[in-house]
Amino acid sequence: MTSPRVQPAAPPAAAHQPGAVGRTRWFIIWLAFAGLTINYLDRSSLSVALPFMGEDFHLSSTQQGFVFAAFFWAYDFFQLAAGWYVDKVGPRRSFTIAAICWSVFTMATALARGFWSLITVRFLLGAGESPAPSTAAKVVATWFPVRERAFATSVWDSGSRVGAVIALPIVTLIVAVTSWHTVFIVIGCLGLLWALVWWKVYRGPREHPSCTAAEADYIESGGARAAANDDEAAAALSWRSLFRYRAVLSMMFGFFCLNSVIYFFITFFPSYLVTERDFDLLQLGFFGAVPGICAVVFGWLGGLAADRAVRRGHTVNRVRKVTIVGGLTGGSVIMFAALVPEAWMALVLLSVAYSSLTIAGTGIWSLPADIAPSSRHVGMLGGIQNFASNFAGILTPILVGVLVDRTGSFVAPLMVIGCLALLGAVNYLVLLGRVQPLRVKTP
C-alpha cells in the first residue's frame, strides 16, 4: 500500500475575481447538467411507465426487479472501460457518442413485446449510458478550480434528480394522452438533439472560443486538473495500481452504500407510492415529484456551502467528510418512511432522505478530482467508484422485489437500505483517510 501525498490547503484566490474573468465554465457545466437530466429521464422513464404497461406486460414484482437490474448489469460492467475511455478521448467525444447510443436504445424500448425484450433493451441502454457520470466528473476537474468544485459537481449531479423528477409528470402525461410507446420515442429524440449541441459546443478551457485567457488562468491557478500540471511519475501510474489504495477501496464501498438507497428512488419509488400509499395517476405525477425537487434544491445548497467553507480556509478533507458522512446519516431516515401511518409523513421522510443523499453525492463525486494522482486518472477513478456503486443497481431492485413479494410490504427493504446508508457513513469516516492526491510509491 502506498502512502498519500500531502495535499496543500485550498489554493489562494486568483488575482482575478471570479466575476471578472468570464463565466464560460458555468455555461459548460449547465450544458452537462442538461445531458445528465436527459440521461436520467431515459433511465427513469420505465419505472414510471411500467405500472401502466400492465395490459402488455404481466410482470410480477420479482420480474420487474430483474428488468430494472438488467440496465445495471451493463451499466456496471462497462464502468471501468468507460472511465478509461473518458480519459483517453476526452469529454467531447465520450459524451456525444454515449448520448447517441442511449437515445437510440431508449427509442428501441417502444418496440419491446415481453419480459426478455425489455431485458435486452434495458441492458443496451445501460451500456450506452455508462460513460456519462465519469465524463461529467472529468468536465468539472478540467473546467473548475477547487473552490468551485463542489457546487459545479452538485449542478451536473442534480441532473439525475431533475431527470427522475420530470419523468413523473412527463411520462404520466404522455401515457394519459397517447400511449407508453410514445414516451420512449419522445425522450430518445431529446437525447439526440442534446448530443448534437454538445459536439458543437464543448472544448477545453484553452481551446474554447468563449473562454478568455483570464478565465483559463483563473481555472488553472485555482487547482483544476490539467495535463500540463501533471507529475510525470503520477501520470504513468496504471489504472490497476489504483486498487492498491485504501482510499479508492473506501470510495468504492461507500458509494455502493449510497446507491443502495438512491436506486430505490429510481426504480421502485413510483410503485411504492401506488401500491403502499394508494396514489392514483394524478397524485403520483404531482406529489411523487416532491422528494426529487427537495433533493435538487438541497444538493445545490450543499454544494454552495461546501465551496464557501473551502474559500474560508477549511481543508478539503474536512469539508468532503462532513458533507458525505452527514448526508449518508440523514439518508438513513428512509427506514422510517414505511412505518409512519400517513402518506404525507412518508413523503417528508423520503424528502429528507433523498436530499441528504444528494448532498453526500456532491462530495462523493468531487473525490475523483480531489484524490486523482494526475488529470489522466480522474475519469478512471470516477469509473472505478461508479463500477462498485452500481452493484447496488443490480442487487437493490432484485432485493426489493423479492422482499415485497415475500412480505407483502416495503417495510423490510426500506429497513435494509437505511442500515446500508449508516454503514456507508461509518466507512467514509473511518476508512477513507485524508482527502488528498494519491502519491506514487517511490523506491
Side-chain angles (χ1 to χ4, degrees):
M1 187 73 67
T2 60
S3 58
R5 177 172 62 225
V6 176
Q7 181 186 14
H16 299 284
Q17 293 301 313
V21 299
R23 303 186 64 82
T24 303
R25 63 194 183 283
W26 294 108
F27 172 76
I28 292 293
I29 202 60
W30 282 107
L31 184 57
F33 158 82
L36 267 295
T37 298
I38 296 171
N39 178 284
Y40 269 76
L41 175 60
D42 289 11
R43 185 184 308 191
S44 303
S45 57
L46 182 65
S47 66
V48 182
L50 198 56
F52 308 105
M53 294 163 63
E55 295 181 1
D56 299 304
F57 304 97
H58 302 283
L59 304 178
S60 67
S61 294
T62 299
Q63 287 177 310
Q64 291 180 40
F66 275 101
V67 169
F68 291 138
F71 171 93
F72 297 102
W73 295 336
Y75 185 76
D76 194 46
F77 178 78
F78 284 97
Q79 279 302 311
L80 297 180
W84 170 86
Y85 179 70
V86 170
D87 284 329
K88 183 72 173 178
V89 305
R92 184 183 182 223
R93 183 178 299 179
S94 63
F95 227 158
T96 301
I97 293 176
I100 292 172
C101 291
W102 85 55
S103 300
V104 170
F105 297 137
T106 295
M107 290 188 284
T109 308
L111 304 177
R113 291 295 179 266
F115 174 71
W116 286 108
S117 57
L118 275 177
I119 289 282
T120 301
V121 295
R122 291 294 289 183
F123 184 90
L124 293 173
L125 180 64
E129 291 196 2
S130 59
S134 295
T135 300
K138 182 81 169 181
V139 170
V140 171
T142 303
W143 272 91
F144 287 87
V146 174
R147 68 182 70 89
E148 296 176 350
R149 189 174 288 163
F151 181 62
T153 299
S154 75
V155 169
W156 75 256
D157 188 48
S158 69
S160 62
R161 325 300 171 213
V162 173
V165 167
I166 65 176
L168 285 163
I170 288 177
V171 173
T172 52
L173 176 62
I174 295 175
V175 170
V177 174
T178 58
S179 71
W180 64 265
H181 303 83
T182 309
V183 169
F184 302 103
I185 300 298
V186 171
I187 60 179
C189 289
L190 284 176
L192 292 176
L193 178 61
W194 181 87
L196 177 62
V197 174
W198 181 262
W199 177 258
K200 286 186 170 294
V201 169
Y202 185 83
R203 301 290 188 279
R206 291 294 180 185
E207 295 78 34
H208 200 286
S210 298
C211 183
T212 64
E215 184 173 13
D217 290 341
Y218 170 77
I219 292 168
E220 293 176 2
S221 65
R225 309 307 296 265
N229 300 327
D230 286 341
D231 176 78
E232 185 176 342
L237 187 69
S238 72
W239 68 270
R240 294 178 184 86
S241 300
L242 296 174
F243 291 97
R244 297 165 54 196
Y245 292 89
R246 186 184 71 179
V248 175
L249 299 178
S250 176
M251 288 165 61
M252 294 171 68
F253 178 71
F255 204 2
F256 167 84
C257 293
L258 180 133
N259 268 2
S260 295
V261 191
I262 288 289
Y263 281 122
F264 167 78
F265 289 96
I266 297 173
T267 56
F268 273 97
F269 175 59
S271 296
Y272 165 78
L273 295 181
V274 172
T275 61
E276 196 89 347
R277 297 298 177 176
D278 298 320
F279 278 34
D280 58 26
L281 182 63
L282 179 61
Q283 289 173 318
L284 177 63
F286 184 76
F287 292 108
V290 171
I293 293 172
C294 292
V296 171
V297 173
F298 281 96
W300 290 346
L301 292 176
L304 286 170
D307 285 341
R308 185 178 183 183
V310 172
R311 287 195 296 271
R312 288 188 168 187
H314 293 283
T315 64
V316 172
N317 176 67
R318 174 178 292 182
V319 171
R320 297 290 183 258
K321 285 190 175 180
V322 169
T323 300
I324 296 171
V325 174
L328 278 163
T329 302
S332 69
V333 303
I334 194 173
M335 68 177 71
F336 303 113
L339 303 178
V340 295
E342 301 293 336
W344 69 267
M345 297 177 183
L347 274 178
V348 169
L349 289 170
L350 290 166
S351 298
V352 171
Y354 206 2
S355 299
S356 300
L357 294 166
T358 302
I359 292 172
T362 64
I364 289 172
W365 270 115
S366 296
L367 291 178
D370 291 333
I371 78 164
S374 78
S375 66
R376 303 178 191 180
H377 295 88
V378 175
M380 189 69 247
L381 278 172
I384 286 174
Q385 71 168 8
N386 214 28
F387 164 73
S389 76
N390 280 286
F391 276 108
I394 297 172
L395 299 176
T396 298
I398 297 174
L399 174 66
V400 172
V402 169
L403 288 176
V404 169
D405 278 343
R406 293 194 175 185
T407 65
S409 77
F410 281 85
V411 174
L414 291 186
M415 293 295 292
V416 170
I417 61 179
C419 290
L420 281 172
L422 288 175
L423 187 59
V426 173
N427 162 77
Y428 282 110
L429 182 64
V430 176
L431 299 179
L432 180 63
R434 290 192 61 82
V435 178
Q436 54 194 6
L438 304 175
R439 188 181 67 180
V440 179
K441 184 178 181 180
T442 56

